[in-house]
Amino acid sequence: MEGRIIETNEKPKKESWEKNLSNLEWSALGLFIIFFLLYFSKGIFSFLGIKLNHIVLLHDTWGVFGDFIGGVLGTFIAYISVRLLVKTLHHQISANKETSKINKETATVYKLQQFNEQFKILFNLYQDAIHAYKASDLRNGDDLSVIVEQLKTHGNTFVKNEDYAKRQQVALDIFKDFYVSYHNVASVHFRLLYRIFQLIDDADIPERNKTDIAKIMRCQLSTDEILLLRYNAIASYGEKMRIYINRYNLLKHLPLFSLLELSYLSTKLTDVQRHSINTEVIKWRKQTKELLLKKKQNAESINEEYSEKYVIKMTVSSDNSLFKLELTKKARKKYEATDTNISKAFDMFTNDELKCLLLDFVSEMFLYSNFSIYNTPIDLKISPEITEKKEGKKTIISVEVLKDNKLPIICSQRQMETPSEDVG
């Protein structure tokens, strides 16, 4: 709808203080008239009577009356002058506030325009860097998704019984081979990503704008880019990027089974099963962060039921020092119509492999996805356990995370900035 000016005959309403002053002015005028009548009451009555010719107004009387009028009018005029001065100051203050507001808005718009120009230049260079993977002559000019898929073929080099840190070192070595092979492109790619988020973080613009722009930029990152960004930040030459990855939650949508460290489990699943677990794991991570952010008097839990066979339970203690993840597996011989894809995916694993899955998820969430900035392996005691219960023929696979000295477990930048808050 086009903007238009609407004419109106309505007069602007007076402010309450102006109304009060107007009432005082009318009262003062009324009092002046009363005093005037009282002063000349004898002359007025004579004017109305028979003895009008006998009324003599003396010069002294006029002199006293003049003094009276001068005193009253002088005071009244002084009052009006003060009133007008106050009113002028009031309007001047309002105008100054409005001018200041307009100046601030103009300055903000100017800063946003400057930021947009710089961001546009960097973003165009970033897009060129992505296309440069395919444009390069290396390995037949494969694009980034094909290159990453080739990296994942190294899954046979991982052994499930190895420590997560050792598997990560193997994954990092594979990434370094990629980085060396595509150094001319990869180095520019990651430096541009760093500069883009540095520009966002340092920009002198409202925080809301920063957050929105960072989220838009995060949406531009493909799963393959996020995966490579993670390994680049683990390496020493990508260390500066860690702060922005944590601050803007850039690994938020990274699928767990895209990690090279979990290739030994990922290869056992179909694409649908892999996607179903990846989707749920992202939800587990989000729910865990909400539990850690929430103010609570007692320990709180979240349950997720996948068919009648599998139930996931996440529990956080009241002081946030303890986190427990439990997968309850009920004995059953055949599939039911209510079975979900994730339930079928869990069936592909042995109990020991399910324990490894939960352990790897917890290790990634609390330690490796934030590069041990919030928690360190020394601070956290991570204990996996498999418990068989004859009653109900249940198997409970659990991982417990306990932080030393009853300090809160941290898994997000938001938790660092807001230690605890109500999460609706």
Side-chain angles (χ1 to χ4, degrees):
M1 181 182 292
E2 296 183 357
R4 58 182 180 180
I5 299 175
I6 301 175
E7 297 184 357
T8 176
N9 294 324
E10 292 184 6
K11 295 182 179 179
K13 295 182 179 179
K14 289 186 177 180
E15 297 181 14
S16 58
W17 67 276
E18 289 183 298
K19 292 180 180 179
N20 293 334
L21 286 175
S22 297
N23 293 335
L24 287 173
E25 289 169 356
W26 283 110
S27 300
L29 179 61
L31 289 173
F32 176 75
I33 293 172
I34 291 173
F35 290 147
F36 181 86
L37 293 175
L38 288 175
Y39 187 82
F40 282 104
S41 59
K42 182 178 179 181
I44 290 171
F45 292 144
S46 300
F47 177 77
L48 297 175
I50 300 172
K51 299 180 179 181
L52 178 61
N53 296 329
H54 299 284
I55 298 293
V56 178
L57 298 179
L58 303 176
H59 292 289
D60 291 343
T61 303
W62 280 106
V64 174
F65 177 68
D67 294 339
F68 171 76
I69 294 296
V72 173
L73 286 179
T75 303
F76 190 67
I77 291 172
Y79 160 75
I80 293 297
S81 299
V82 172
R83 180 186 185 281
L84 291 174
L85 177 62
V86 170
K87 185 175 181 180
T88 301
L89 290 174
H90 175 79
H91 286 293
Q92 186 64 44
I93 291 172
S94 299
N96 289 341
K97 287 182 179 179
E98 189 66 26
T99 302
S100 177
K101 181 181 177 182
I102 293 173
N103 289 340
K104 287 181 180 179
E105 291 176 351
T106 303
T108 300
V109 170
Y110 176 71
K111 290 174 183 177
L112 282 171
Q113 288 175 342
Q114 282 189 315
F115 170 82
N116 288 337
E117 289 298 322
Q118 294 175 314
F119 182 82
K120 184 179 179 180
I121 294 171
L122 287 175
F123 185 76
N124 289 336
L125 292 173
Y126 155 75
Q127 288 184 314
D128 292 340
I130 295 299
H131 295 313
Y133 282 105
K134 191 169 185 177
S136 65
D137 293 329
L138 296 172
R139 299 186 185 180
N140 301 318
D142 294 326
D143 61 20
L144 193 58
S145 61
V146 176
I147 295 171
V148 171
E149 200 59 38
Q150 290 172 350
L151 296 181
K152 293 180 180 179
T153 58
H154 295 275
N156 294 331
T157 62
F158 295 91
V159 181
K160 67 179 180 180
N161 292 327
E162 285 185 343
D163 181 74
Y164 194 94
K166 293 180 180 179
R167 280 183 277 139
Q168 186 176 87
Q169 186 57 52
V170 175
L172 186 58
D173 291 339
I174 295 172
F175 169 78
K176 287 180 178 178
D177 289 339
F178 150 80
Y179 192 83
V180 171
S181 300
Y182 291 89
H183 182 266
N184 290 338
V185 179
S187 59
V188 175
H189 175 201
F190 294 122
R191 281 200 300 268
L192 283 170
L193 277 176
Y194 172 75
R195 284 292 296 121
I196 286 173
F197 283 99
Q198 184 186 50
L199 175 67
I200 295 172
D201 199 64
D202 292 343
D204 187 14
I205 58 177
E207 198 64 32
R208 177 176 56 83
N209 294 88
K210 284 187 182 183
T211 303
D212 290 342
I213 295 168
K215 287 181 178 180
I216 291 171
M217 187 60 207
R218 187 175 67 190
C219 292
Q220 304 297 315
L221 303 177
S222 66
T223 300
D224 298 321
E225 278 187 89
I226 299 173
L227 178 66
L228 294 177
L229 183 63
R230 174 186 180 272
Y231 290 116
N232 184 67
I234 294 172
S236 58
Y237 38 79
E239 187 175 352
K240 288 184 178 180
M241 188 65 185
R242 295 175 184 176
I243 186 172
Y244 301 127
I245 291 176
N246 286 333
R247 183 169 296 167
Y248 298 109
N249 201 11
L250 300 185
L251 304 183
K252 178 179 181 179
H253 300 295
L254 179 63
L256 186 67
F257 279 137
S258 69
L259 300 179
L260 302 180
E261 293 90 328
L262 274 82
S263 297
Y264 73 97
L265 290 176
S266 177
T267 53
K268 300 188 69 173
L269 303 174
T270 65
D271 288 341
V272 173
Q273 292 169 345
R274 194 179 299 111
H275 178 70
S276 64
I277 293 184
N278 283 335
T279 302
E280 288 303 312
V281 163
I282 290 174
K283 186 165 74 172
W284 298 350
R285 191 185 300 137
K286 179 181 178 181
Q287 290 172 331
T288 300
K289 289 180 180 181
E290 289 177 350
L291 282 175
L292 288 169
L293 278 168
K294 191 175 183 181
K295 291 180 180 179
K296 44 193 175 293
Q297 298 296 324
N298 302 302
E300 290 196 18
S301 301
I302 294 178
N303 291 351
E304 292 286 346
E305 185 173 345
Y306 306 109
S307 73
E308 296 179 358
K309 188 173 183 179
Y310 293 101
V311 177
I312 278 284
K313 181 180 180 181
M314 290 163 280
T315 304
V316 174
S317 63
S318 59
D319 59 0
N320 289 347
S321 65
L322 175 67
F323 171 79
K324 191 170 185 179
L325 179 64
E326 293 179 315
L327 175 61
T328 300
K329 179 181 178 181
K330 299 178 183 179
R332 200 182 58 190
K333 294 183 179 180
K334 61 180 181 178
Y335 285 116
E336 300 289 344
T338 56
D339 283 348
T340 58
N341 286 324
I342 190 171
S343 180
K344 295 175 182 177
F346 285 152
D347 276 339
M348 301 299 295
F349 299 132
T350 64
N351 289 346
D352 186 55
E353 288 173 333
L354 286 172
K355 182 189 73 174
C356 290
L357 172 63
L358 299 188
L359 179 61
D360 288 351
F361 163 70
V362 168
S363 299
E364 178 66 19
M365 178 170 62
F366 290 118
L367 290 174
Y368 298 103
S369 66
N370 53 63
F371 317 104
S372 298
I373 292 177
Y374 304 143
N375 314 288
T376 66
I378 298 175
D379 296 332
L380 296 184
K381 181 182 178 182
I382 302 177
S383 308
E385 184 181 17
I386 298 178
T387 305
E388 300 283 352
K389 289 193 174 183
K390 294 182 179 180
E391 183 181 352
K393 295 181 179 180
K394 296 178 182 178
T395 300
I396 299 178
I397 304 164
S398 64
V399 177
E400 186 176 276
V401 182
L402 178 64
K403 190 153 187 181
D404 287 345
N405 301 322
K406 293 290 184 179
L407 294 173
I409 301 170
I410 307 295
C411 71
S412 67
Q413 183 69 22
R414 186 180 171 195
Q415 194 179 348
M416 293 283 288
E417 296 169 352
T418 309
S420 61
E421 60 183 28
D422 292 323
V423 178

